[in-house]
Amino acid sequence: MKQDMIVVLDLGSTENTVLARAIRELGVYSEIHPHDITAGEVKALENVKGIILNGGENRIVDGKEVEVNPELYTLGYPVIAIDCPSAKCEKCYAKLPDKEALKAFVFDTCKAEANWNMKNFIEDQIEQIKKQVGDKKVLLALSGGVDSSVVAAMLIKAIGQQLVCVHVNHGLMRKNESEGVVKVFRDELKANLIYIDASERFLTKLENVADPEQKRKIIGGEFIRVFEEEARKLEGIDFLGQGTIYPDIIESGTKTAKTVKSHHNVGGLPEDLQFALVEPLKQLFKDEVRACGLELGLPREMVYRQPFPGPGLGVRCLGAITRDRLAAVRESDAILREEFAKAGLDKTVWQYFTVVPDFKSVGMKNHERCFDYTVIIRAINTIDAMTASIERLDWDVLEIITNRILAEVPNVNRVCYDMSPKPPATIEFE
């Protein structure tokens, strides 16, 4: 069933996602698009019922106020503006309208129907995937994380054996992660899975690279190269499937907002990419991705698995990656996850992990002076990954985790707990 849509045009607002989610909570699908979208591109979107021009503090770019293409006003769609003094529509709000005003616009003015739900979304995406892919094959990077697992399930439902899953062990995985992916997807789900151990290749490329943006781009670019090499061994691979979700796109920068951080599947793609992209989750927030996974029939434990960035432990081994600090991140993270599970925190805390910065401090081990690394624990709660609050850990649990890390992880003499919410911090350190 085609879902009615309200289009949100980004004219510099910092609250595009708030508005889009508010519309979806009314049961109506919404998408965010750039301010300079053309009339033809709007008409190509299906079931558009209305347009909201969403201005804000970033509406002035290079000294000029961003504006929409004038022909949008001739399409016949109802249009309202938020904080856009130059907008040529019937009504302009100084700030986001309250729920009742938004509801009146969506249902009374636009005549939209409340038909946005996961079942309909999945049906629409499957239809689009079939239309886009045809009889070709899709290569999918299957990390085993939530996003790639949900994409895999959707692609299997849409195109079956035309999907080729590739799991690349880039040497930046969590402890026993790759072994688990192979066991679940190849052995249990019987997926068409190719396993590649490229650990040395990635770690060699990353030697002496300290800048986090450069690390992400190297990892993203190398991923694509591995896939291209694998695709050349296969026939009919024209598409690359990706688990891109909306927060990835937002944080990688828009035409009116600066980059927070590049995501390997957004900012790290090479310009000479040999594939067309299939990204069925790119308009979903994280909680919606999980709902999508459950609707597709994935096990709850897989859907609520710990989020893990594409660059993996590469952005948790802060600064230039070294083998000893990478091992410290991997082992301390495994201890953290084990103790969170014992305490039942794995069911209540959205994301938790460790990082190891690139500096050492003085300490004492075995009655002798030592000069070792620090492990930082981060545990946060969030709904959509756009904002996050800190988990108030029980002191006894934190003490158990600390003592285990200090006793079991080599080259570590301090453990700290990160108390920074998002914003101003981001979820990951890099």
Side-chain angles (χ1 to χ4, degrees):
M1 178 181 180
K2 293 298 179 184
Q3 299 159 107
D4 290 348
M5 182 197 302
I6 302 296
V7 175
V8 176
L9 296 188
D10 174 19
L11 276 80
S13 176
T14 58
E15 297 187 308
N16 290 312
T17 56
V18 174
L19 179 58
R21 289 182 65 83
I23 296 169
R24 293 186 189 186
E25 286 170 6
L26 294 174
V28 178
Y29 183 56
S30 62
E31 284 188 3
I32 303 168
H33 289 275
H35 68 278
D36 56 358
I37 189 172
T38 66
E41 288 169 332
V42 172
K43 286 195 288 187
L45 300 172
E46 296 187 7
N47 286 31
V48 173
K49 295 297 182 179
I51 299 173
I52 300 179
L53 313 181
N54 200 23
E57 60 188 67
N58 294 324
R59 69 174 182 271
I60 306 299
V61 177
D62 296 329
K64 291 181 61 179
E65 183 177 342
V66 295
E67 297 181 352
V68 297
N69 289 315
E71 64 265 26
L72 292 185
Y73 296 112
T74 69
L75 295 178
Y77 300 123
V79 179
I80 62 170
I82 301 169
D83 198 9
C84 298
S86 64
K88 300 177 179 65
C89 55
E90 70 269 279
K91 189 165 186 178
C92 186
Y93 292 87
K95 58 182 180 179
L96 287 182
D98 59 29
K99 186 174 182 179
E100 289 307 310
L102 186 61
K103 190 174 180 181
F105 174 71
V106 170
F107 295 114
D108 300 338
T109 305
C110 298
K111 309 299 182 186
E113 291 185 26
N115 53 13
W116 157 246
N117 57 57
M118 273 305 146
K119 182 178 180 181
N120 289 342
F121 175 80
I122 290 168
E123 288 177 357
D124 284 353
Q125 291 302 315
I126 287 174
E127 183 179 329
Q128 289 180 31
I129 292 167
K130 288 179 177 178
K131 187 184 299 184
Q132 180 185 8
V133 174
D135 61 354
K136 302 296 184 180
K137 291 181 180 178
V138 178
L139 195 62
L140 173 68
L142 180 57
S143 68
V146 177
D147 301 337
S148 66
S149 297
V150 174
V151 169
M154 187 177 287
L155 288 171
I156 287 170
K157 194 165 186 178
I159 58 173
Q161 289 301 303
Q162 292 170 242
L163 173 66
V164 179
C165 297
V166 177
H167 176 70
V168 178
N169 180 358
H170 50 26
L172 305 169
M173 304 296 288
R174 290 176 288 203
K175 191 172 184 178
N176 299 324
E177 190 100 42
S178 288
E179 295 85 346
V181 169
V182 171
K183 180 177 184 295
V184 170
F185 286 93
R186 178 189 287 170
D187 301 343
E188 296 177 11
L189 299 182
K190 309 302 180 185
N192 185 5
L193 175 65
I194 298 170
Y195 171 76
I196 301 169
D197 186 351
S199 303
E200 288 302 317
R201 174 174 175 169
F202 276 81
L203 294 178
T204 299
K205 288 270 186 180
L206 289 164
E207 281 181 5
N208 302 316
V209 178
D211 180 72
E213 283 295 288
Q214 191 179 355
K215 284 199 291 187
R216 285 178 177 272
K217 290 180 186 296
I218 288 173
I219 294 167
E222 203 62 22
F223 253 109
I224 299 302
R225 298 305 174 210
V226 172
F227 292 145
E228 286 178 335
E229 291 169 14
E230 203 57 44
R232 283 194 285 269
K233 303 174 186 176
L234 306 166
E235 294 183 1
I237 299 285
D238 286 10
F239 297 91
L240 177 66
Q242 289 204 133
T244 307
I245 65 175
Y246 195 69
D248 297 342
I249 296 172
I250 283 289
E251 291 189 337
S252 294
T254 67
K255 292 180 179 178
T256 61
K258 294 180 179 179
T259 300
V260 176
K261 60 186 175 187
S262 294
H263 287 259
H264 78 287
N265 51 359
V266 180
L269 296 176
E271 293 182 2
D272 59 345
L273 182 66
Q274 301 298 307
F275 306 104
L277 297 179
V278 180
E279 301 175 297
L281 307 182
K282 67 181 179 181
Q283 290 292 344
L284 295 186
F285 298 98
K286 196 71 178 190
D287 57 316
E288 294 171 335
V289 173
R290 296 187 195 281
C292 183
L294 293 176
E295 184 68 32
L296 285 165
L298 289 177
R300 187 174 183 84
E301 58 270 21
M302 180 179 291
V303 170
Y304 282 90
R305 192 178 188 183
Q306 270 288 290
F308 194 53
L313 300 182
V315 292
R316 295 178 181 173
C317 185
L318 307 186
I321 298 170
T322 59
R323 307 284 175 132
D324 57 347
R325 283 192 301 114
L326 186 59
V329 176
R330 184 174 287 119
E331 293 302 321
S332 61
D333 176 79
I335 291 171
L336 180 69
R337 288 187 288 127
E338 184 180 327
E339 293 301 331
F340 263 48
K342 287 180 182 177
L345 292 169
D346 59 326
K347 298 179 178 63
T348 60
V349 182
W350 191 82
Q351 188 169 4
Y352 43 93
F353 55 89
T354 63
V355 300
V356 177
D358 189 15
F359 62 80
K360 293 182 177 182
S361 65
V362 176
M364 290 287 293
K365 276 189 176 180
N366 301 320
H367 307 292
E368 293 182 353
R369 180 185 183 277
C370 64
F371 195 53
D372 287 330
Y373 296 114
T374 297
V375 169
I376 302 174
I377 296 171
R378 185 148 174 78
I380 56 96
N381 280 310
T382 182
I383 294 175
D384 57 14
M386 300 306 295
T387 62
S389 60
I390 303 306
E391 175 67 16
R392 295 174 179 266
L393 286 185
D394 179 82
W395 190 264
D396 290 339
V397 173
L398 194 55
E399 191 170 30
I400 291 170
I401 294 168
T402 299
N403 290 338
R404 280 198 62 191
I405 289 174
L406 293 176
E408 299 175 30
V409 181
N411 305 313
V412 170
N413 64 4
R414 291 182 191 270
V415 176
C416 299
Y417 189 60
D418 181 6
M419 294 291 292
S420 314
K422 176 182 180 179
T426 53
I427 293 175
E428 298 286 343
F429 274 57
E430 292 188 341

